[in-house]
Amino acid sequence: MAGFASFKILLVSGTACAALGFAVPAFAQTGTEQSTPEAATPTGAAVPVSDAEASTEPQGRENEILVTGSRIRQDPNNSALPLQIITTQEIQRNGISSPEQLIMFLSTNGSGADNLASNADVTSGAQRGTNGLSAANLRGQGSAATLVLLNGRRVAAHGLTGGAVDVNQIPFAAIERVEVLKDGASAIYGTDAVGGVINFITRKDYQGLGFNGFTDVTEAGGGNIYRLSGIAGYGDLDEDGFNVMAAVAYSWNKALRGEDRPFVNGYQPDRGLSIDTRGTPIATAFNIGANTRPNSITAAGTLLTGLTLTAPNGANAAAGGINVLDLPGGAGCESMDGGLPYDEALWNAPSTYYACAWDTGRAAVLQQPINTLTYYGRGVVNLGMGHQMSLEVTGSDATSAKRFSNAQLTANTTNLAIAYPLNSLTAATYNSVFNAIRAAFPAQAAALDGRYGRPIAYRWRCIACGTREYVTNTKTLRAAFGVEGPLFEGWDYRAGASYAKSESSSVLGTGYYYRGTLGNGDYDPNAPAVAGAAAINGFTPRGLVGVMNSGLINPFSLAQTPEGLAALESVSAYGATLYGGQYEVKQFDLSLSGPLFRIWGGDVQLAVGADVRRETYEFNGSDAAAASAPVIFLAAFDNINALTPKNRTVKAAYAEMLVPILPGLEVTGAVRIDEYSGFGSTTNPKVSVKFRPIDQIMFRGSYNTGFRVPSFNQIFNGLTEAPYLGSDIADPVRCPGGVPTSPVGTGTPCDQIRPNIYTGGNRELGPETAKQLSAGVVVQPAPLFSASVDWWMINVDNTIQTLTLRQLIDNAALFPERFLRDPPETGTIFGIDQRWINAGSRRTQGLEVSLRGGHEFGGSSRVMAGLDGTLLLKKREKLTPTAQYGPSLIGVFTFAGDLGVRWKHNAFVSYSNDDVALSLSQIFRKGYRNGALPGIAAGTVTRPGYNAFVKDYIVYNLSLSYTGLAPGYKLTAGVRNLFDTEPPFAITYDGNTGAGGSWEPRVADPRGRSFTMGVEVKF
């Protein structure tokens, strides 16, 4: 692998050398630059060089173009629309190499689990099926409430989720700029445009040939990024009447493992963090009962079955697990890699006195490896008289690998009746474990002696199995055809058709094995037999259970024999299909725009249009999960959610009118009617106002309504049942607050509960609706200075969500039907219903701030500074229409959803001249309330180093570009995270899934300081 990495570095560097060495005069003519420059304007950029849609028409009068959020031409820097334009200069200045990094960079983007790092570990509920997905989440309204466009048209949602667009499919090598509309836009685009709109805009009329090589190499190793791209274009529309262009890019994002970064440390008890798992590389012995099936080695019970082994704190250690490393005289839990003492106080589990834990976060990847190919092609031809016809094709092929902790094998009395036997292979280890337990509990020595020879039941982390891995491949394809041109007296038309598809599939990589048993514990005859294993009780051992019960694998040792490893390999499920899905969008659209008549302030402008869209989604299960197929241990199959193709047809018509009442006062009104098959029709208006009393000041504001329809999965998914494995919830009726203070099964009001969790779709779901209001001011006292502040409000009703367990626990009186009891209403909770619902309302308010300033020294020398920030003023929810709004959710930790970070900003200062551009940028993310494990949450435990609030996250990026080498050449070098700032300590460990640990991927970048180098060559 080291050689391959070196080859890629050489390849990227060689791009520049080859271009320098072989440039010849025949290629010396540089093509159209087509790059929107940065500027001290409200958008952060000068007037873009092309429309925000597929048009190649020149700018209209007074720098008027089509911008995101409107069908009427206007100057984006003199508009009522709160638009931010991300230029290629800003992208390069911050060393951004992918759409995901760009989305994370935006201060207006929320802090949800929308990136690859947030979904790299074990996930549950709504986050399942996010393999390989990176999504946008403007203003924290959720990834399904942000509309993502490519040249003004929709792209297909991710093939697995069917609800959010994977931004990694965007052809980044062809991007000219990115427009971010910080406002609702359902009156123009329809569904999903609640949090805002992100429009990736490609180059339109490129001429020449260009190459780009980029590396981003971390100082500490791991997580390196490489990218190669090329772009070519031929034909001048004005002179030749046509233009064709194409771009292709390939990127490698290498894996970064938790063990490669010291801040990933799940054992920091003084700070309130410890891991809740007793599945350790040296197994923990338990008092599991018997599986009475005739072929079971536990039919007569196990060594500790029914025993009470009293620990010094008075608890029964046999119930909580005994690890020989933690017994008196043992080597200690820390003697195994990743091992740590189990903190029984933090987890309110006194019976775990002699248990060890294991840091699962060190085995997970912090950055998922992903290799991505993107391509883009476009051809446009002049038809004469100003009419044009264009065809655009783009696609991607991405393969990611989601890797997380090794499988934990927990013995039970049904389908995983595993135990360590006493035989010729195991005698030495068996006796060592038996004698250590016997010595630690002399009062029970006689009872143990009477059980000598019974197999030892255990909980074990299978290091020899390898980390678990899902490999996901996502292919996308999008084709768009368009015609446009003039009609009469300033009117023009645009018509187009597009097709987009996203197809994803996940297969099992390492770490997965056939279980080998039926539901009752009998060996499954369809599972593979164990290589090299003798018969057990007259039966051929099969699958993982057969491997463990044969004694070929030793769970009480870190070293395994070749025979044991061969036995494991013989029952591997490597390459089995997990699931797959496909999302398709077919769309036809037509719009007309132009002036109606002239009034005091200018021409009244009108745009009208219609579009028809058909969306199709299907989700495939796996033959490996069929009822007759052998079970694959711990594989998260979703056959219950398999969908034959489901269709949705959308018909829409809209109108937009701009009325210039006075030279400085404009009012724009828009309305759109959408008719959805299965949901009926919805009408959404928008009114925006711009008032510029003097050239230096502009006031703007808007009111609009919006909506979001539920995804196919949210409606049609089947019912999934999964046992809750955490130790942090209690019955909220018996124990107000639902925070446990005693272990499970103790019979106390506040003992831990482990119910089944039921998730799935809801065919009664309706759309969520939104009302939005904004008001702002833009000040431009001088050509190189601008400042804007926009207040915004988003009120969402009928919110589509799965309530978190904590929300259900805290609001149990509102949702008694969600707690399944036996007997009903008064009995023990055996299940919690966590299916999708239309749950109440959400109220969010904030401020968007943009500052730009600069000074020119004469010639081309210039100093610039700027800041883009978002201040969250309000975030509250109520869970039913009649309930009261809950407390503020700003800066409150949750395992899922958006953190609601109060303040985020990106700031920069730069110097540039004809040849050099030097910049320093700062990325700031405000701290938030920390998570808390059960002992601290219940107030029964205090730890001196526990920080109730997570520290602010602040990093600096440095960049230097040089263009003086020769025309058409650009060299860029930079340092990301200049001061090597680690993610702040945060308690994110989830006892249910075993994911998380000591940092927060929704806020911080785990890679540390890295060095970037980019080479761009144009001919």
Side-chain angles (χ1 to χ4, degrees):
M1 293 303 292
F4 184 54
S6 300
F7 168 73
K8 285 186 293 187
I9 296 173
L10 179 64
L11 185 62
V12 171
S13 303
T15 302
C17 296
L20 289 171
F22 295 101
V24 293
F27 295 95
Q29 182 179 359
T30 303
T32 305
E33 176 59 27
Q34 278 224 326
S35 179
T36 298
E38 290 188 287
T41 62
T43 64
V47 176
V49 298
S50 63
D51 285 339
E53 299 189 1
S55 173
T56 52
E57 290 187 9
Q59 293 176 356
R61 57 181 183 174
E62 298 179 359
N63 295 326
E64 291 181 345
I65 65 167
L66 281 180
V67 298
T68 303
S70 177
R71 302 295 188 186
I72 296 175
R73 290 182 175 274
Q74 53 192 289
D75 182 350
N77 289 309
N78 187 28
S79 168
L81 297 173
L83 195 68
Q84 180 182 359
I85 298 176
I86 309 297
T87 65
T88 54
Q89 298 97 310
E90 187 169 4
I91 290 172
Q92 290 176 351
R93 183 174 68 233
N94 289 281
I96 294 171
S97 62
S98 68
E100 181 191 83
Q101 287 185 346
L102 174 64
I103 297 302
M104 289 287 290
F105 169 77
L106 296 174
S107 66
T108 192
N109 196 62
S111 301
D114 306 306
N115 57 13
L116 290 174
S118 297
N119 294 303
D121 212 328
V122 182
T123 56
S124 62
Q127 285 181 262
R128 288 182 63 181
T130 56
N131 304 345
L133 172 67
S134 301
N137 174 21
L138 293 182
R139 290 178 169 173
Q141 300 302 302
S143 58
T146 296
L147 181 62
V148 176
L149 304 175
L150 178 63
N151 291 332
R153 284 192 171 95
R154 290 175 180 263
V155 295
H158 190 249
L160 291 183
T161 67
V165 169
D166 178 20
V167 296
N168 287 323
Q169 69 176 279
I170 300 298
F172 216 49
I175 293 300
E176 190 275 315
R177 69 184 187 276
V178 182
E179 293 186 354
V180 182
L181 177 63
K182 305 175 184 180
D183 201 3
S186 288
I188 298 296
Y189 299 113
T191 185
D192 305 338
V194 176
V197 182
I198 299 179
N199 191 5
F200 292 88
I201 301 165
T202 62
R203 301 168 187 263
K204 301 295 197 316
D205 188 14
Y206 188 87
Q207 299 172 54
L209 187 64
F211 298 98
N212 188 291
F214 177 84
T215 63
D216 183 351
V217 179
T218 61
E219 181 177 342
N224 294 340
I225 299 170
Y226 310 93
R227 189 185 74 229
L228 288 173
S229 64
I231 185 170
Y234 179 75
D236 186 294
L237 270 175
D238 294 330
E239 296 184 4
D240 303 320
F242 74 93
N243 175 263
V244 292
M245 61 168 289
V248 63
Y250 195 87
S251 64
W252 302 263
N253 287 35
K254 306 303 290 182
L256 175 63
R257 291 174 58 87
E259 63 187 13
D260 295 333
R261 293 295 183 266
F263 62 81
V264 179
N265 179 5
Y267 185 60
Q268 303 185 56
D270 287 345
R271 304 174 83 174
L273 174 62
S274 186
I275 303 300
D276 178 28
T277 178
R278 282 154 283 173
T280 51
I282 300 294
T284 301
F286 274 85
N287 62 348
I288 305 299
N291 178 302
T292 57
R293 302 295 296 175
N295 67 333
S296 174
I297 68 168
T298 69
T302 62
L303 177 65
L304 303 184
T305 299
L307 283 184
T308 298
L309 303 180
T310 306
N313 63 356
N316 180 12
I322 299 171
N323 196 298
V324 293
L325 297 178
D326 204 36
L327 292 174
C333 299
E334 296 96 329
S335 63
M336 56 184 166
D337 185 31
L340 47 103
Y342 189 93
D343 195 320
E344 65 271 13
L346 281 175
W347 289 102
N348 282 326
S351 63
T352 61
Y353 187 88
Y354 282 126
C356 293
W358 188 66
D359 196 347
T360 54
R362 298 177 73 251
V365 293
L366 309 184
Q367 175 180 286
Q368 288 188 48
I370 180 170
N371 295 343
T372 307
L373 169 71
T374 59
Y375 55 89
Y376 173 82
R378 187 173 192 273
V380 59
V381 60
N382 280 333
L383 302 177
M385 305 295 291
H387 300 274
Q388 291 182 352
M389 180 172 62
S390 64
L391 177 64
E392 178 181 282
V393 177
T394 183
S396 65
D397 189 338
T399 300
S400 64
K402 178 176 177 177
R403 299 169 185 162
F404 40 95
S405 57
N406 309 60
Q408 174 177 277
L409 279 64
T410 301
N412 61 34
T413 60
T414 54
N415 59 27
L416 204 71
I418 55 174
Y420 193 61
L422 176 60
N423 58 36
S424 60
L425 294 175
T426 65
T429 299
Y430 183 98
N431 290 331
S432 174
V433 173
F434 177 86
N435 291 332
I437 295 175
R438 187 180 187 279
F441 299 96
Q444 286 83 24
L448 286 166
D449 288 341
R451 293 163 177 262
Y452 177 79
R454 291 189 184 182
I456 304 173
Y458 54 83
R459 188 176 297 178
W460 179 56
R461 187 71 57 170
C462 184
I463 301 301
C465 293
T467 54
R468 287 173 286 169
E469 179 183 61
Y470 294 159
V471 179
T472 300
N473 178 258
T474 300
K475 293 182 174 69
T476 68
L477 176 67
R478 178 179 178 273
F481 172 80
V483 291
E484 60 185 75
L487 290 173
F488 52 85
E489 297 182 3
W491 281 75
D492 56 40
Y493 71 93
R494 296 168 187 273
S498 64
Y499 170 80
K501 179 178 74 173
S502 174
E503 184 176 9
S504 302
S505 63
S506 292
V507 300
L508 299 179
T510 59
Y512 286 94
Y513 298 84
Y514 290 98
R515 191 178 67 196
T517 57
L518 302 173
N520 62 3
D522 286 348
Y523 283 119
D524 183 350
N526 294 318
V530 179
I536 300 176
N537 294 338
F539 291 87
T540 300
R542 296 181 179 274
L544 193 58
V545 170
V547 172
M548 302 312 299
N549 289 345
S550 70
L552 288 169
I553 288 289
N554 183 354
F556 296 99
S557 173
L558 297 176
Q560 304 298 336
T561 65
E563 292 78 10
L565 297 177
L568 264 182
E569 183 63 26
S570 69
V571 299
S572 171
Y574 184 91
T577 298
L578 189 64
Y579 41 59
Q582 178 176 290
Y583 200 99
E584 289 184 326
V585 179
K586 302 170 185 175
Q587 182 170 348
F588 300 88
D589 57 81
L590 170 67
S591 66
L592 309 173
S593 64
L596 285 177
F597 50 83
R598 191 169 183 82
I599 59 174
W600 312 281
D603 290 335
V604 175
Q605 302 281 329
L606 176 68
V608 295
D611 61 65
V612 179
R613 187 171 77 251
R614 185 169 179 83
E615 301 173 352
T616 303
Y617 177 67
E618 60 181 299
F619 188 83
N620 307 317
S622 170
D623 291 340
S628 59
V631 173
I632 299 176
F633 183 59
L634 295 182
F637 290 111
D638 264 352
N639 279 27
I640 190 76
N641 295 326
L643 292 178
T644 57
K646 301 294 182 182
N647 299 303
R648 177 184 293 162
T649 300
V650 185
K651 302 175 183 178
Y654 60 87
E656 181 183 12
M657 180 179 290
L658 186 152
V659 182
I661 298 175
L662 296 171
L665 177 62
E666 291 180 355
V667 177
T668 302
V671 64
R672 178 179 171 113
I673 301 175
D674 288 85
E675 183 180 292
Y676 274 77
S677 58
F679 292 99
S681 62
T682 177
T683 301
N684 291 277
K686 181 172 183 176
V687 178
S688 55
V689 179
K690 182 196 77 175
F691 178 48
R692 190 180 284 274
I694 58 176
D695 290 343
Q696 291 79 16
I697 298 177
M698 178 177 70
F699 299 95
R700 61 189 180 190
S702 71
Y703 168 81
N704 65 91
T705 66
F707 71 105
R708 178 174 75 86
V709 297
S711 71
F712 290 103
N713 275 333
Q714 291 169 339
I715 298 171
F716 295 110
N717 271 3
L719 184 66
T720 299
E721 175 184 349
Y724 187 73
L725 302 177
S727 303
D728 55 353
I729 60 173
D731 186 331
V733 174
R734 299 175 61 216
C735 178
V739 178
T741 58
S742 56
V744 63
T746 56
T748 62
C750 287
D751 59 357
Q752 300 163 355
I753 60 173
R754 299 245 171 88
N756 289 325
I757 307 299
Y758 298 93
T759 58
N762 180 353
R763 300 198 176 210
E764 302 302 318
L765 277 182
E768 63 180 27
T769 59
K771 295 181 179 179
Q772 304 186 54
L773 191 65
S774 69
V777 59
V778 178
V779 180
Q780 295 174 281
L784 290 181
F785 288 89
S786 74
S788 65
V789 178
D790 290 277
W791 170 84
W792 53 270
M793 176 189 76
I794 303 176
N795 292 345
V796 181
D797 296 310
N798 300 315
T799 53
I800 302 169
Q801 59 179 304
T802 56
L803 300 178
T804 67
L805 291 179
R806 181 44 56 188
Q807 284 177 315
L808 288 169
I809 295 277
D810 290 343
N811 298 275
L814 299 176
F815 301 100
E817 75 284 356
R818 293 257 158 179
F819 295 88
L820 310 179
R821 299 177 181 272
D822 185 22
E825 298 183 1
T826 59
T828 300
I829 295 175
F830 68 86
I832 298 178
D833 183 356
Q834 210 179 0
R835 289 176 295 174
W836 290 98
I837 58 171
N838 287 110
S841 304
R842 179 176 63 247
R843 300 292 183 257
T844 316
Q845 295 181 21
L847 287 177
E848 304 280 0
V849 179
S850 180
L851 307 173
R852 294 292 186 274
H855 177 72
E856 291 183 344
F857 295 98
S860 63
S861 297
R862 172 185 290 191
V863 172
M864 292 287 295
L867 178 145
D868 294 295
T870 300
L871 177 65
L872 199 57
L873 300 174
K874 181 179 182 179
K875 184 180 181 183
R876 300 179 68 188
E877 294 181 348
K878 64 176 181 179
L879 302 182
T880 67
T882 58
Q884 298 296 313
Y885 281 97
S888 173
L889 298 176
I890 296 176
V892 176
F893 173 79
T894 61
F895 286 122
D898 193 86
L899 286 176
V901 173
R902 180 176 289 277
W903 171 252
K904 304 167 72 173
H905 77 245
N906 307 317
F908 74 92
V909 59
S910 66
Y911 167 82
S912 63
N913 59 29
D914 285 338
D915 296 331
V916 175
L918 176 67
S919 69
L920 177 68
S921 60
Q922 181 198 64
I923 298 174
F924 178 93
R925 304 295 184 257
K926 184 67 179 172
Y928 49 91
R929 191 180 305 168
N930 206 354
L933 299 188
I936 290 178
T940 59
V941 177
T942 58
R943 293 294 164 88
Y946 175 71
N947 55 310
F949 289 89
V950 177
K951 293 181 179 179
D952 302 338
Y953 179 61
I954 309 171
V955 297
Y956 294 86
N957 299 327
L958 182 67
S959 174
L960 173 66
S961 295
Y962 180 64
T963 58
L965 189 63
Y969 295 87
K970 184 175 184 179
L971 304 177
T972 303
V975 183
R976 300 192 70 197
N977 196 347
L978 183 62
F979 301 109
D980 200 22
T981 302
E982 292 185 344
F985 173 76
I987 298 175
T988 61
Y989 180 74
D990 183 351
N992 179 36
T993 64
S998 56
W999 72 290
E1000 179 51 78
R1002 288 174 286 184
V1003 171
D1005 184 344
R1007 298 171 68 242
R1009 181 160 52 219
S1010 67
F1011 303 95
T1012 64
M1013 174 64 72
V1015 180
E1016 185 177 352
V1017 184
K1018 298 179 181 179
F1019 301 104

